[in-house]
Amino acid sequence: MPPLCTPCCCGVLNRTLAVAFMVLLAFAIVVGNVVTLTVFVQTRQSRTPQGYLKSLAIADMMVGVLVVPFSVYTEISLMVTSAPPLWYHGNPTSPAALSSLGGPVGPWQPCMLIGPVFAGCTFVSISTIFLMTLERSVAILWPLHKDALVTRRRTLLLILLSWAASFLLALAPLIFSGNFTLEYNECSRMCNYSPLLFGGRLPPDANILLVFPAFDFTLLGGTLAVNIVSFTSIRLYTRKRKLLSEGSLSDAGGGGGGCLHRPSFSDIKAAKTIGILTFAFTASFSPIAVFVLGNVVGNTWCNFSFFAFWILTGNSCCNVIIYSVRDHRFRKGVTLLFQRERSPPHAEKT
């Protein structure tokens, strides 16, 4: 066992509780996002550019289908078997690490797939939220030009570009540096990027991992700025409408310096929903950013890393919860979906 693995965090009881939590989380992620995708495919109200931007459900479901089950499998293997798998450790003395350094080739490291998938899906989530924010801002600021600016073709192109850029960024530490590997971490119970230590020291390019939080917080900052502009426009319109209802402002020519645009109620509510999504993602990603920063400077927080990584993983089912509470079209689609499944055959109806 690694020196950081203490009985407190790696005992049988702790592993059992962790596996139970992972199984429940994987079930919630998969079921929730399958329902979301089914509603998206079968409901006409969701076949809009905004609906296509909800493709983040695919990224969330990949986390529930690949990332979490792999952690469940590894944890159960460590409880059942007396020795960990050959691919388990990714340190410089392991076969996987030696192969990357020109040594003998060892068994394939599954974390080389699972780790980039988790990182890539995280980047897809924030980039999709950013695109959704831009789409809603266009609907609020330029409602007359919304259909011309936001088309299905442009939306699909932006989604494809965001997926390509996200997974390319996830592979950046492996592409642009030979001093990193991916290994299953005892503390986080997940595949993590790990720098190869030389003489007990971090490699000189260890700070390349900072590109991950820099990318996410840049998009989060852009999302926040766009939301501020959108909500300012909504506030101006709401204030003008209130003054008009009180008779203290003339509506002739849109005077009074108020907002000339009249966003619909659905656009306003969708903007608020996306704002809640942004807040939820920021809250779930911030612990990871703190952990990465501490890891780069040489600090290791075992217990904190578990909570940080799995709080971020839990965000994959938060999006479904937020939409089910906030989006009336989504609720209507779910209702129609289950009513269709429970409806009796035509022969029984007659």
Side-chain angles (χ1 to χ4, degrees):
M1 289 294 180
L4 291 175
C5 186
T6 62
C8 176
C9 66
C10 298
V12 176
L13 177 61
N14 185 277
R15 288 193 188 278
T16 303
L17 293 176
V19 169
F21 165 74
M22 294 174 188
V23 171
L24 291 175
L25 182 60
F27 178 80
I29 292 173
V30 172
V31 172
N33 287 285
V34 165
V35 171
T36 301
L37 292 174
T38 305
V39 171
F40 169 74
V41 172
Q42 297 187 359
T43 308
R44 290 184 178 181
Q45 294 95 322
S46 297
R47 297 175 187 176
T48 61
Q50 183 192 6
Y52 281 110
L53 288 173
K54 293 177 184 177
S55 64
L56 63 87
I58 298 176
D60 290 337
M61 192 168 63
M62 288 175 63
V63 174
V65 172
L66 294 176
V67 178
V68 180
F70 178 75
S71 295
V72 172
Y73 162 76
T74 305
E75 289 296 308
I76 293 177
S77 298
L78 292 175
M79 286 192 296
V80 174
T81 61
S82 57
L86 294 177
W87 51 261
Y88 185 72
H89 299 298
N91 53 56
T93 60
S94 68
L98 287 175
S99 64
S100 64
L101 298 174
V105 177
W108 180 68
Q109 169 63 271
C111 282
M112 298 298 288
L113 170 65
I114 302 299
V117 165
F118 181 61
C121 290
T122 301
F123 300 144
V124 167
S125 296
I126 181 54
S127 60
T128 304
I129 292 174
F130 177 70
L131 292 177
M132 292 171 68
T133 305
L134 290 180
E135 191 268 341
R136 285 297 89 188
S137 67
V138 171
I140 292 172
L141 299 176
W142 302 285
L144 298 179
H145 305 283
K146 179 182 66 173
D147 294 335
L149 293 175
V150 183
T151 63
R152 292 187 178 183
R153 183 176 181 180
R154 290 177 181 174
T155 301
L156 290 175
L157 178 60
L158 288 174
I159 289 174
L160 292 176
L161 290 176
S162 69
W163 276 75
S166 296
F167 280 92
L168 180 62
L169 180 62
L171 294 172
L174 304 178
I175 296 175
F176 299 105
S177 175
N179 297 323
F180 287 89
T181 186
L182 282 142
E183 62 179 1
Y184 187 84
N185 189 277
E186 275 286 334
C187 297
S188 65
R189 265 82 164 190
M190 194 168 287
C191 294
N192 296 157
Y193 293 87
S194 178
L196 301 177
L197 301 179
F198 298 95
R201 297 182 179 180
L202 292 173
D205 56 353
N207 56 1
I208 193 175
L209 291 178
L210 293 178
V211 72
F212 291 170
F215 174 81
D216 279 353
F217 281 116
T218 298
L219 284 187
L220 286 172
T223 302
L224 177 61
V226 174
N227 279 328
I228 290 175
V229 174
S230 299
F231 288 134
T232 300
S233 177
I234 293 173
R235 184 179 179 184
L236 290 174
Y237 169 68
T238 304
R239 184 179 179 183
K240 178 184 176 181
R241 186 172 59 180
K242 181 179 179 180
L243 293 175
L244 286 172
S245 63
E246 295 175 352
S248 58
L249 179 65
S250 174
D251 194 29
C259 181
L260 296 178
H261 306 297
R262 297 187 177 183
S264 64
F265 175 78
S266 61
D267 289 335
I268 295 175
K269 190 168 184 178
K272 293 180 180 179
T273 301
I274 296 172
I276 295 174
L277 282 175
T278 305
F279 174 79
F281 186 89
T282 304
S284 62
F285 181 78
S286 295
I288 286 288
V290 174
F291 173 76
V292 171
L293 180 60
N295 198 20
V296 167
V297 299
N299 296 324
T300 303
W301 300 300
C302 186
N303 293 329
F304 176 72
S305 67
F306 175 81
F307 290 105
F309 277 93
W310 287 96
I311 287 174
L312 180 60
T313 306
N315 182 258
S316 296
C317 63
C318 288
N319 297 328
V320 177
I321 297 174
I322 293 172
Y323 272 113
S324 63
V325 173
R326 298 284 306 176
D327 195 333
H328 71 280
R329 290 181 298 182
F330 181 81
R331 294 198 303 269
K332 183 178 179 180
V334 173
T335 302
L336 293 175
L337 175 65
F338 285 99
Q339 285 180 349
R340 187 179 307 169
E341 291 180 353
R342 295 178 181 178
S343 59
H346 181 70
E348 296 180 7
K349 291 181 180 180
T350 55

